[in-house]
């Protein structure tokens, strides 16, 4: 009985040592992952920090571009009607 208890305690101690070793390895891995993720977060923050300002600027430029496009579409329609009128006048004049 004594040897059984001694062997069981020794086995339990070895298992606990193995478990501590694995947990220590996991802690080291998680520490490295934490450092990498912190670096990535800092770089992404540095990249995307000015993004809202650029989005607002792009929105304003898009608004002005749409206004100019609508104005130009109106001018093109006027020019098309003028060319159509001139072509009809030239055809009528040639007859």
């Amino acid at each position: 009985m004594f040897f059984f208890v001694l062997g069981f305690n020794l086995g339990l101690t070895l298992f606990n040592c193995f478990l501590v070793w694995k947990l220590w390895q996991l802690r080291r891995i998680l520490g490295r992952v934490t450092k990498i993720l912190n670096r990535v977060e800092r770089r992404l923050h540095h990249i995307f920090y000015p993004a809202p300002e650029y989005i607002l600027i792009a929105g304003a430029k898009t608004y002005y571009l749409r206004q100019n496009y609508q104005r130009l579409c109106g001018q093109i329609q006027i020019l098309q009607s003028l060319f159509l009128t001139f072509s009809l006048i030239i055809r009528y004049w040639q007859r």
Side-chain angles (χ1 to χ4, degrees), residues 43-73:
R43 289 179 183 169
L44 288 177
H45 176 74
H46 182 70
I47 291 169
F48 291 122
Y49 178 73
E53 180 182 341
Y54 292 143
I55 291 171
L56 290 175
I57 291 170
K61 288 182 179 181
T62 303
Y63 173 75
Y64 291 122
L65 182 64
R66 286 182 180 163
Q67 281 184 336
N68 287 336
Y69 180 74
Q70 287 177 352
R71 186 174 45 96
L72 287 174
C73 283

Side-chain angles (χ1 to χ4, degrees), residues 24-34:
W24 182 69
Q25 283 182 336
L26 180 65
R27 182 177 178 263
R28 284 184 36 209
I29 291 170
L30 289 177
R32 279 188 246 146
V33 168
T34 301

